[in-house]
Amino acid sequence: MRSRSKICSYPKPKDGSTAIISASVSSRDDETARKSPPNLANGKDEEQGGSKENESTRCDVWHSGALGSVLVSIPPESRLDLDAASYLPISGSPLRDSGRSSTGDLHSHSNLPTCLDSYPIRGMMIKKRYISPTHWMFSLTLSPHALDWLDEQMKKQGKIWQEMMTCKLLARSIKTKRLLSWTPGRYGTYLPTKGVADALFGAYLRTFETIYRIIHIPTTKRVYNTLWESPGLASPAQVVLLQLCFAVGACFYDDVFSLRPHAHQWIREAENWLESPGKLRMTVFDIQIMCLLHLARQTAHYLRENHVWAVSGALVRAAMCVGLHRDPTRLPTMPVFETEMRRRLWTTIIELVLESSIDAAGPPMFSSDDYDCSLPLNLNDAELGDLGEDGKPTSHDMAELTDTSLQIALGRTFAMRLSVAKYSNGIKVDSSYRETLRLGSDLMAEYRSLMKYLHALNPQPTTFQKRYFELIFSRYIFSLHLHYLPRALKDPAQFHFSRTICIDTALRLTSSFLPLSSSRHNPVLIAMHSILPFESCCCDYERLLICGSAPFRSVPWQAVMVIAVELAATLHEAHSTSPWTGVVSFNQKQNGSKFRNIELLTWLREGAKWTKQRIQAGHHNVKDIVYITVLLAGIEAAMDGTPPEPAMDAKGREILAEAKSILGVTAGTETTTWDTVPDLGDEGLGEVNEFWSMGFSGMEWESFF
């Protein structure tokens, strides 16, 4: 029973269940509410899709054992009565309807509050860490039947939950096995053979270095050759820099990331070198190493997004200490080579900082007023190196592809993307839906202009470069529109554009790396390919999304979740409008959305295979594959007209057994089992806010090396 007081609270459920446990309801005559910070739009602005906050907004904190604490803001003039509906079965949701049979819908008795379908989520607290609603974890709330299933497993702590804990123990064993012995201060102990090093260095140069200009390629190649011809002449700093290039290139070496332990070791050595006492790390060369370390952490390591974001703050401040934020023309005269390298490096730094803020769903913490450094000239590295002290470079025509063309093209869109990041992740902005549409329109205009420019370049950019640009812009589209998706499903007339652009972006993104090569003989995929051929395979791009971490996992994950929620929504809509409802299963109905659902279902199944391939590539976290598998099982059961819960339980057990087998082989043992139910209270594994924080998204469970 809920309290009738205006401010009420309840203790957190200790069994991992889902419930609304606290509410702060304010009114116009409540002095306390008037003094508290505003939270959401008034009723009039809410009708326009806005979120201008005032003192009359009601807020509820919903706690999920699997997800964490979610702050939901309710406009004061809404007709939703949480006091009466909080603990009742959900009705009117696009994914669940208590008035229908459970065989035709997904979770007809969900524990999730109805407000999640209609009102903005203002933030989440995951194990004492705050994230905004633009974070990738928001996408988990789009699939309530899968989230309910996880909460139920946490509450019961039965066989499925024990198997998850077994996978956790195997993951710890794998971590220990991968940690190489090393004496701090000794660099280059685990250098690869010359042949492997050539492959790794070449992979880095043809991928990330073409977009984020960090090194001068001819100069670095000379250092690289010296490392093999005269090892004693290479300084520790040069060894560290080259090893970071190897660490990034290791993501592209093979499909299973066999060099992962070495990549972790090279990152570890770089961190030790930067933190070694008695050394002043404030030179341009040091900043280059910091940039490479940032990329290596995103591709080959297991750092949380908010940790990378926090470290990026140190990167931009160190760069400012060196004066990279000032254009070289406003500094004492320096050679052209140094001038251009400083411009390239600063452009890279602001890109890395901006993108880390998008990954962590945090404000960029700087603006265009904080620097005046210009974009670099359109020059090749060889031309830059041949300039003398007084040489004056001649920039190439912008239609000609050079070593800096892609960096310049991306840099020209920086102001627009910075505006989107500040708008999406700010807490004191006019976040009306009208403003969202305006920014979204400007962003798409920049995007179209960029892609048109890339296709006009001569010679043409590589497939990897084009798809990487698509990946970058997909993040900004999702940050603007994804949190409107539940409201778009509830009110399609008003928020239809957000739903359309999210699913279009998701399909474009998934089709760039799916289907997997193992699915090429699927009859449905063969038919789809015959009608509209798939994009050409790009091995580097596919391996990045299979072996990489951070955004290279979270953005494709968001796309797969959007496809899942679109499939569930169209299933519900077809179920509601079909005259065959209750007579035959969905798969036997003749309706206009059937072929679209087959397409979505095919991509969702491929997404499940992608998560499995990531485990085979060494990502020892099973939550991705468990979540998407039970989500898919629930949808398939609903399409067949059968209850979703038994199918989700069966698929959950099946995929956990398969994942445990893969991890067991990697760890060198398959005997890790529970003889008795573990005492989860000792490690807090069963507590509220724990599940998703335990290494989801490719992050390590708790510790890093």
Side-chain angles (χ1 to χ4, degrees):
M1 180 178 297
R2 296 179 64 85
S3 168
R4 290 295 181 181
S5 65
K6 297 185 184 299
I7 299 178
C8 58
S9 61
Y10 301 91
K12 293 183 180 181
K14 297 181 179 180
D15 57 1
S17 61
T18 306
I20 295 180
I21 68 164
S22 67
S24 176
V25 183
S26 55
S27 63
R28 289 179 174 84
D29 58 354
D30 188 345
E31 183 66 23
T32 302
R34 282 196 295 267
K35 293 181 179 180
S36 62
N39 290 300
L40 192 69
N42 55 32
K44 181 177 180 180
D45 286 340
E46 178 61 25
E47 294 177 359
Q48 301 298 325
S51 58
K52 185 178 179 181
E53 303 176 359
N54 62 53
E55 67 275 8
S56 301
T57 299
R58 300 194 306 171
C59 297
D60 268 78
V61 179
W62 163 63
H63 284 274
S64 163
L67 183 58
S69 303
V70 183
L71 175 64
V72 184
S73 298
I74 292 85
E77 298 179 12
S78 70
R79 293 188 296 270
L80 179 63
D81 185 1
L82 283 178
D83 290 341
S86 295
Y87 295 98
L88 297 179
I90 300 304
S91 62
S93 167
L95 299 183
R96 48 199 188 276
D97 190 338
S98 60
R100 299 193 181 277
S101 168
S102 62
T103 61
D105 215 339
L106 299 176
H107 260 277
S108 57
H109 298 286
S110 172
N111 291 320
L112 301 184
T114 52
C115 55
L116 289 181
D117 294 326
S118 305
Y119 300 109
I121 291 178
R122 304 301 295 168
M124 299 182 186
M125 289 298 297
I126 309 295
K127 199 177 182 181
K128 300 181 181 180
R129 292 191 301 273
Y130 173 80
I131 60 175
S132 78
T134 59
H135 195 273
W136 67 265
M137 289 187 70
F138 168 79
S139 62
L140 302 172
T141 65
L142 302 178
S143 305
H145 68 284
L147 202 54
D148 271 354
W149 182 86
L150 285 173
D151 277 338
E152 185 179 352
Q153 300 308 316
M154 287 193 67
K155 181 178 180 180
K156 294 191 302 187
Q157 294 186 359
K159 181 65 175 177
I160 291 177
W161 185 250
Q162 294 174 32
E163 290 290 87
M164 291 181 183
M165 296 303 103
T166 299
C167 291
K168 176 179 172 66
L169 293 182
L170 289 170
R172 287 179 173 175
S173 176
I174 293 171
K175 274 183 54 181
T176 303
K177 185 178 179 180
R178 287 176 177 166
L179 188 60
L180 304 178
S181 61
W182 177 65
T183 301
R186 298 184 61 183
Y187 307 107
T189 305
Y190 292 97
L191 281 173
T193 61
K194 179 65 163 55
V196 174
D198 288 344
L200 300 182
F201 191 49
Y204 167 73
L205 293 181
R206 72 172 178 265
T207 55
F208 283 101
E209 182 58 33
T210 63
I211 298 171
Y212 305 108
R213 297 310 321 276
I214 299 176
I215 62 176
H216 182 248
I217 297 176
T219 301
T220 308
K221 282 185 175 180
R222 288 194 291 270
V223 174
Y224 176 79
N225 293 331
T226 300
L227 179 65
W228 302 106
E229 297 169 359
S230 305
L233 297 181
S235 67
Q238 292 172 331
V239 172
V240 167
L241 182 142
L242 290 174
Q243 287 185 156
L244 287 174
C245 294
F246 299 159
V248 176
C251 281
F252 309 97
Y253 184 69
D254 54 27
D255 292 333
V256 295
F257 205 165
S258 59
L259 294 175
R260 188 185 295 272
H262 290 79
H264 289 178
Q265 174 61 28
W266 297 327
I267 293 172
R268 185 185 180 190
E269 291 184 21
E271 292 172 339
N272 177 268
W273 184 82
L274 286 170
E275 297 171 359
S276 54
K279 296 180 180 179
L280 183 62
R281 302 302 179 198
M282 287 295 175
T283 67
V284 172
F285 188 82
D286 299 328
I287 303 300
Q288 289 177 304
I289 291 180
M290 294 175 71
C291 290
L292 286 170
L293 179 59
H294 183 105
L295 283 179
R297 283 167 167 167
Q298 285 191 317
T299 54
H301 213 260
Y302 290 124
L303 287 185
R304 295 183 177 93
E305 295 92 339
N306 55 3
H307 184 88
V308 176
W309 177 49
V311 173
S312 69
L315 171 60
V316 71
R317 286 162 179 78
M320 286 182 171
C321 289
V322 181
L324 294 183
H325 64 303
R326 300 307 309 272
D327 192 78
T329 58
R330 294 175 173 84
L331 300 175
T333 304
M334 61 185 68
V336 175
F337 175 86
E338 185 177 352
T339 296
E340 287 302 303
M341 288 303 300
R342 293 172 70 92
R343 286 172 175 167
R344 294 180 181 188
L345 201 53
W346 176 254
T347 304
T348 295
I349 289 170
I350 60 177
E351 285 291 341
L352 295 178
V353 173
L354 176 60
E355 291 173 12
S356 67
S357 72
I358 290 290
D359 295 337
M365 306 300 289
F366 73 97
S367 70
S368 57
D369 294 333
D370 297 327
Y371 65 93
D372 58 12
C373 187
S374 304
L375 291 173
L377 298 178
N378 194 32
L379 295 171
N380 290 307
D381 281 25
E383 298 169 326
L384 188 61
D386 292 338
L387 292 174
E389 289 291 330
D390 300 325
K392 294 183 179 181
T394 301
S395 179
H396 289 260
D397 186 89
M398 292 307 299
E400 182 178 349
L401 179 65
T402 70
D403 293 337
T404 56
S405 294
L406 299 180
Q407 184 184 45
I408 295 171
L410 192 60
R412 287 177 170 176
T413 68
F414 180 80
M416 181 69 249
R417 290 181 289 120
L418 179 62
S419 299
V420 172
K422 286 181 174 291
Y423 172 81
S424 300
N425 299 323
I427 61 174
K428 293 184 178 181
V429 295
D430 179 17
S431 54
S432 65
Y433 191 58
R434 182 177 300 172
E435 180 67 10
T436 299
L437 293 178
R438 186 192 68 79
L439 280 174
S441 177
D442 292 345
L443 178 67
M444 293 306 296
E446 290 271 18
Y447 185 22
R448 286 190 292 268
S449 177
L450 173 65
M451 299 311 294
K452 183 178 179 180
Y453 169 74
L454 293 182
H455 282 83
L457 282 174
N458 184 29
Q460 276 284 287
T462 65
T463 302
F464 175 87
Q465 293 163 348
K466 292 178 181 178
R467 292 186 182 176
Y468 192 84
F469 274 54
E470 291 181 354
L471 180 71
I472 290 176
F473 274 82
S474 296
R475 300 154 80 177
Y476 294 90
I477 294 172
F478 284 147
S479 69
L480 274 177
H481 292 282
L482 191 58
H483 59 289
Y484 282 105
L485 192 53
R487 306 173 74 186
L489 299 174
K490 188 77 172 180
D491 185 2
Q494 186 172 356
F495 300 101
H496 178 73
F497 180 77
S498 289
R499 177 179 178 179
T500 299
I501 196 170
C502 281
I503 186 60
D504 286 349
T505 302
L507 288 173
R508 185 178 65 250
L509 187 61
T510 52
S511 64
S512 68
F513 72 97
L514 295 176
L516 300 174
S517 57
S518 60
S519 304
R520 295 294 180 179
H521 300 294
N522 185 312
V524 177
L525 292 172
I526 292 175
M528 292 171 60
H529 181 69
S530 64
I531 298 172
L532 184 63
F534 300 128
E535 297 184 45
S536 59
C537 175
C538 178
C539 185
D540 284 339
Y541 186 73
E542 291 180 3
R543 285 179 175 174
L544 177 62
L545 299 190
I546 291 172
C547 302
S549 300
F552 312 119
R553 175 257 161 218
S554 61
V555 182
W557 171 265
Q558 286 178 307
V560 173
M561 289 297 99
V562 169
I563 291 174
V565 74
E566 178 69 14
L567 177 58
T570 54
L571 170 61
H572 175 84
E573 292 163 358
H575 182 83
S576 301
T577 59
S578 173
W580 297 99
T581 298
V583 180
V584 295
S585 67
F586 173 82
N587 286 334
Q588 295 175 315
K589 297 172 188 174
Q590 299 299 320
N591 58 76
S593 64
K594 184 174 182 178
F595 292 104
R596 177 60 182 272
N597 288 336
I598 292 174
E599 177 193 13
L600 295 173
L601 182 62
T602 300
W603 290 122
L604 186 56
R605 287 171 175 168
E606 288 300 299
K609 293 179 182 179
W610 166 68
T611 58
K612 178 181 176 181
Q613 194 161 353
R614 285 180 59 83
I615 293 181
Q616 293 171 336
H619 294 276
H620 45 66
N621 190 321
V622 302
K623 296 182 185 65
D624 279 21
I625 192 170
V626 171
Y627 191 81
I628 195 173
T629 299
V630 299
L631 169 59
L632 175 61
I635 292 176
E636 290 178 328
M639 295 178 72
D640 292 334
T642 59
E645 291 84 352
M648 295 167 71
D649 288 344
K651 284 294 185 179
R653 288 190 294 268
E654 178 183 330
I655 199 62
L656 274 170
E658 190 172 355
K660 187 175 72 170
S661 176
I662 297 173
L663 293 178
V665 172
T666 306
T669 177
E670 298 185 41
T671 60
T672 306
T673 57
W674 299 108
D675 296 327
T676 59
V677 178
D679 184 5
L680 300 179
D682 292 343
E683 297 191 21
L685 301 182
E687 297 176 358
V688 171
N689 303 349
E690 287 289 328
F691 185 83
W692 295 113
S693 62
M694 292 191 308
F696 197 89
S697 167
M699 299 179 289
E700 280 290 359
W701 297 99
E702 268 309 303
S703 60
F704 312 101
F705 42 78

